[in-house]
Amino acid sequence: EYERAGEYYARALAVDSATRLHFSNLAIALENQEKFDSAAMILERFEARFPNNPEVGIGWIYLAVMQKDYVATEELGRALIAAQRGPVYWEATAYEWMANLDAMRGRMASANERWQRALELNAGRGLRGQYLLRTARRAITESQLLGDAAGGRQVLDNALARFPLETLSPLDRPYGQLAMAYAALNDGAHARTLVEEYENTPEADHSKLTELWKHGALGIANLNDGRLDEALAQFRLFDRGNGCNTCAIPWMARTFDEAGQADSARVLFEQFAETPSSSVWYDAAHLAHSYLRLAELYEEDGDPGKAAHYLQLFVDLLSGADPEFQPRVEAARADLARLGVGGD
């Protein structure tokens, strides 16, 4: 309920401008309503009030990425990395952010370098839970973009060999994200084992938001096993109350697609593709696929204009991608030409 949230944050800011959360959360509420000019005005006030707060840089990045301005996002991300060298939390966050932005645009070589930098920053400070969480997010993205399940499982196995879960405080164990990653890598048995261990560890983080991720893991495991009704039920639980607007939607779209329900799949892929989102940690795994699948579904439905629209978005997203992605880009350009659109 972003309109109501925005109203309350604006009232909070009017009576207390000494709390940075009122600025940053008001800007996010406005961005989710696509009121980007108003959000920019709040960020300008935020920067003037707290010029050295790293959340200002994050705020500008969110504004750019939610408008899908990835060139500006890259520039802002580089600036954040340069400004935050030393504070390990923010430097690692910036590197992971930029890694996922690279991956979303098919620039995997650069993504791998930045992921590794974020992970080593965490390892160097003993932040083992963050190390495992970031490895899990990386594995989900790589599995969807590269289709290398075996390689992804090896990355996860190596991370858990380095930092076994039992050596972490239960509150620091990212059970849900690790389970989701193993499920995405077609290891549903391991995913279910982690969910069971989580449920049997009362000292783990069982807060409402953390509990959601086990549903995401079970949804993916059921999807891969062909239990589509069970998958959808879990994804709906994953989506309910999730502050990430786009984490569950592409998985639901894939499930309807697998079930042969093209209309429902198209609606959900489009909802994902058109929703303003700053969750590049998870969007990176799905955006290119969603654009391409929407193009196919609209062409099948007899709407070449919409098909061309999403093909062009696919080309724009991956035009600077690494060589292994370029055959897909060239194929999309050929489809654009066939539909009577240039594809430049």
Side-chain angles (χ1 to χ4, degrees), residues 135-137 139-140 143 156 176-186 217 220:
T135 300
R137 293 199 290 222
I140 292 171
S143 72
L156 282 177
Q177 285 88 349
L178 286 169
M180 270 192 70
Y182 275 108
L185 294 162
N186 298 316
I220 299 171

Side-chain angles (χ1 to χ4, degrees), residues 23 53 106 119 171 175 178 188 192 194 203 207 228 252 257 294 297 300:
F23 290 96
N53 192 313
L119 291 170
L171 281 173
Y175 281 112
L178 286 169
R192 289 187 170 92
L194 284 166
E203 302 88 356
S207 61
L228 304 183
M252 294 172 68
D257 215 5
L294 280 165
L297 289 167
E300 290 169 8

Side-chain angles (χ1 to χ4, degrees), residues 46-308:
F46 185 19
E47 188 167 14
R49 184 70 174 80
F50 296 102
N52 298 317
N53 192 313
E55 288 283 358
V56 172
I58 293 287
W60 285 114
I61 287 174
Y62 279 6
L63 179 62
V65 79
M66 290 178 82
Q67 296 177 87
K68 293 185 167 54
D69 185 347
Y70 301 126
V71 173
T73 305
E74 171 78 22
E75 294 173 354
L76 290 163
R78 289 180 182 274
L80 183 64
I81 287 173
Q84 296 304 318
R85 294 195 188 281
V88 66
Y89 175 83
W90 290 111
E91 189 176 1
T93 297
Y95 272 113
E96 189 196 14
W97 176 278
M98 296 300 293
N100 283 284
L101 182 67
D102 279 332
M104 190 160 66
R105 302 167 77 194
R107 302 174 183 189
M108 300 305 296
S110 177
N112 286 328
E113 291 178 4
R114 286 168 163 169
W115 270 320
Q116 196 59 37
R117 178 60 178 157
L119 291 170
E120 290 310 315
L121 283 165
N122 286 150
R125 288 288 297 272
L127 300 174
R128 296 169 293 171
Q130 281 290 315
Y131 184 98
L132 294 177
L133 171 62
R134 289 191 159 117
T135 300
R137 293 199 290 222
R138 172 184 182 176
I140 292 171
T141 297
E142 288 186 310
S143 72
Q144 298 304 304
L145 293 177
L146 302 178
D148 183 9
R153 285 194 296 270
Q154 190 62 57
V155 167
L156 282 177
D157 291 345
N158 290 344
L160 285 166
R162 185 176 185 181
F163 299 124
L165 278 177
E166 62 269 19
T167 68
L168 277 66
S169 165
L171 281 173
D172 288 339
R173 300 172 191 171
Y175 281 112
Q177 285 88 349
L178 286 169
M180 270 192 70
Y182 275 108
L185 294 162
N186 298 316
D187 192 346
H190 198 157
R192 289 187 170 92
T193 296
L194 284 166
V195 170
E196 183 178 1
E197 182 179 333
Y198 171 61
E199 292 177 333
N200 291 328
T201 307
E203 302 88 356
D205 184 355
H206 289 280
S207 61
K208 181 179 178 181
L209 293 179
T210 304
E211 283 274 334
L212 294 175
W213 297 94
K214 73 179 183 184
H215 296 300
L218 293 172
I220 299 171
N222 283 316
L223 171 59
N224 290 339
D225 289 344
R227 295 197 284 266
L228 304 183
D229 288 342
E230 295 175 44
L232 282 172
Q234 292 294 333
F235 288 139
R236 288 187 177 110
L237 290 171
F238 182 40
D239 190 46
R240 188 175 301 159
N242 196 331
C244 172
N245 291 337
T246 54
C247 285
I249 301 303
W251 292 111
M252 294 172 68
R254 289 173 186 262
T255 305
F256 278 114
D257 215 5
E258 184 69 19
Q261 298 184 39
D263 287 345
S264 295
R266 186 177 63 247
V267 167
L268 286 166
F269 277 129
E270 193 155 37
Q271 180 182 340
F272 168 68
E274 300 299 335
T275 296
S277 172
S278 59
S279 300
V280 293
W281 298 275
Y282 296 105
D283 293 353
H286 301 285
L287 191 59
H289 171 79
S290 297
Y291 286 157
L292 202 56
R293 190 67 185 117
L294 280 165
E296 294 167 346
L297 289 167
Y298 271 114
E299 185 170 8
E300 290 169 8
D301 201 42
D303 191 339
K306 290 286 282 187

